[in-house]
Amino acid sequence: MEIKEMISDLRTRMQSEMASAENKQALEDIRVRMLGKKGELTAMLRSLGQLSPEERPAAGQLINEARERFTGMIEQRSAELKALERAAALKSETIDVTQPAQMPEIGSKHPIHRVMDEMVECFMGMGFEVLEGPEVELDHYNFELMNIPKNHPARDAQDTFYVDDNIVLRTHTSPMQARAMLSRKPPIRVICPGRVYRADEVDATHSPVFHQMEGLVVDKDVNMADLRGTLNAFAEKIYGKGITTRFRPSFFPFTEPSTEVDLTCSNCHGAGCRICKGTGWIEVLGGGMVNPKVLEMCGIDSSVYSGFAFGIGLERIAMLRYGIKDMRLLYEGDVRFLGQFR
């Protein structure tokens, strides 16, 4: 077959294959097979040695002209494929600017953390520092330094989750108070928020996992009036003007004297209602003066320094604040419930 006929046949096959090529890779395969180092046109060029000297120049010129022409055909088809790809991308990525936007759903802060943040802001405004500590705690910090000896009922397995004989899931955030008194010198003014654990049955007002915020002040000449002033300021910040405190005698191993603290009912402002059972007061927290024995165990001279401490259940504050009747709602993660606090 003459060179001219071979080139014509090659061109026909190239056109057919390029027409069916659907992407750049298929087109590249055709180029390599036809024009590459081992391609058919290159093989024709190498076969020129079989021709007579008179025939070689004309045949070589035909092959070179064919290479330029075939290269142009491939470049043209490559441009067509690029245009088709661009058109397909524009069609698939078209944005209808007239369609209403789908706004992302924005979550809300959990009511417990909302209350915690407000309380932290309140006490920081009074000069308290925030301390956080481990939830898996040594018996020494959780009980012993809080004046709760080995035979105290609070250590019973019915009240406490034990990891082993000396490690517990903390039953209060008081261990951080002990750590603060051991590592610092008075004056000390700290709050300790966090999660705590007690072996309670789950019901509308109890949970084995809940949250506390405890406060501690140690300095010279600290007394119960300072405790009441601090808690009155806290009550007004959280529940509004006119909310005050009432102290009732109580007992806690780590405070002496100890007190249960009631707040004016935020619903009726002391007039008496269903929520406060007609008393005008709602029990919210406990506190008292730090037991001198606790100060001495933590290396603080109780003849020079005194202090007060208090502990607040955050679930209790949140339930009163938002009128929540069942504590379990705070832990179930129901978006219908949590969405109300946006």
Side-chain angles (χ1 to χ4, degrees), residues 27-311:
L27 187 64
E28 176 64 13
D29 292 342
I30 294 170
R31 186 196 68 79
V32 171
R33 189 167 61 255
M34 301 296 185
L35 306 179
K37 291 182 179 180
K38 297 181 180 180
E40 293 187 36
L41 195 63
T42 305
M44 290 184 197
L45 193 60
R46 289 173 179 168
S47 69
L48 291 178
Q50 301 174 6
L51 300 178
S52 64
E54 293 80 10
E55 295 175 319
R56 288 175 190 168
Q61 183 177 356
L62 288 173
I63 294 173
N64 288 332
E65 289 175 353
R67 179 180 295 277
E68 291 181 6
R69 189 162 55 250
F70 292 169
T71 300
M73 290 166 57
I74 289 175
E75 290 176 351
Q76 181 180 352
R77 181 56 180 166
S78 176
E80 291 174 356
L81 289 175
K82 186 175 181 180
L84 290 172
E85 290 177 1
R86 181 175 177 80
L90 289 173
K91 184 177 181 180
S92 64
E93 297 172 7
T94 298
I95 299 174
D96 184 357
V97 295
T98 66
Q99 183 179 1
Q102 293 182 348
M103 300 303 293
E105 290 191 21
I106 299 175
S108 59
K109 188 178 292 184
H110 194 281
I112 291 177
H113 289 281
R114 185 187 296 271
V115 166
M116 181 186 293
D117 290 347
E118 290 184 18
M119 291 171 62
V120 166
E121 181 182 358
C122 170
F123 286 113
M124 287 183 66
M126 289 188 275
F128 284 77
E129 179 184 352
V130 180
L131 294 185
E132 295 182 342
E135 295 178 12
V136 180
E137 186 58 274
L138 293 173
D139 177 285
H140 179 67
Y141 293 102
N142 194 78
F143 289 127
E144 292 181 14
L145 292 179
M146 292 294 105
N147 196 31
I148 302 176
K150 292 289 185 183
N151 59 351
H152 195 281
R155 290 170 170 262
D156 195 283
Q158 295 178 358
D159 297 321
T160 306
F161 291 107
Y162 281 86
V163 177
D164 60 31
D165 289 343
N166 294 309
I167 300 176
V168 300
L169 299 185
R170 66 182 183 185
T171 58
H172 43 199
T173 58
S174 302
M176 283 311 300
Q177 296 185 13
R179 292 176 183 273
M181 288 187 284
L182 286 168
S183 61
R184 306 171 182 220
K185 294 182 178 180
I188 298 170
R189 189 179 288 111
V190 297
I191 54 171
C192 312
R195 189 180 291 110
V196 298
Y197 306 84
R198 294 181 191 175
D200 286 332
E201 294 292 333
V202 177
D203 60 30
T205 57
H206 295 85
S207 170
V209 183
F210 57 101
H211 298 76
Q212 274 191 341
M213 180 178 291
E214 299 199 9
L216 171 72
V217 171
V218 179
D219 204 347
K220 294 179 180 179
D221 302 320
V222 174
N223 54 48
M224 290 287 281
D226 298 316
L227 172 60
R228 182 160 192 176
T230 299
L231 295 180
N232 280 340
F234 152 74
E236 286 204 343
K237 173 68 175 179
I238 298 300
Y239 292 110
K241 291 290 184 180
I243 304 298
T244 186
T245 58
R246 180 179 71 174
F247 284 11
R248 291 180 289 106
S250 187
F251 169 77
F252 303 112
F254 36 86
T255 53
E256 180 60 40
S258 302
T259 179
E260 296 284 357
V261 182
D262 303 330
L263 299 186
T264 310
C265 177
S266 58
N267 183 64
C268 65
H269 289 268
C273 66
R274 178 180 55 82
I275 294 176
C276 63
K277 299 178 181 179
T279 65
W281 299 93
I282 296 179
E283 180 183 337
V284 174
L285 60 103
M289 300 302 296
V290 179
N291 192 314
K293 187 175 181 180
V294 172
L295 293 175
E296 295 292 343
M297 284 191 291
C298 292
I300 296 175
D301 189 346
S302 62
S303 66
V304 177
Y305 296 100
S306 58
F308 67 74
F310 56 86

Side-chain angles (χ1 to χ4, degrees), residues 296-335:
E296 295 292 343
M297 284 191 291
C298 292
I300 296 175
D301 189 346
S302 62
S303 66
V304 177
Y305 296 100
S306 58
F308 67 74
F310 56 86
I312 307 171
L314 299 187
E315 281 79 356
R316 179 70 166 158
I317 297 295
M319 291 172 73
L320 290 172
R321 177 77 174 276
Y322 299 114
I324 300 170
K325 302 296 190 298
D326 193 327
M327 185 186 292
R328 289 169 290 194
L329 292 170
L330 295 169
Y331 308 122
E332 291 175 348
D334 190 328
V335 294

Side-chain angles (χ1 to χ4, degrees), residues 9-23:
D9 179 65
L10 183 60
R11 177 177 181 177
T12 300
R13 286 192 286 116
M14 275 190 66
Q15 287 177 328
S16 175
E17 292 184 19
M18 286 192 299
S20 61
E22 296 180 350
N23 52 58

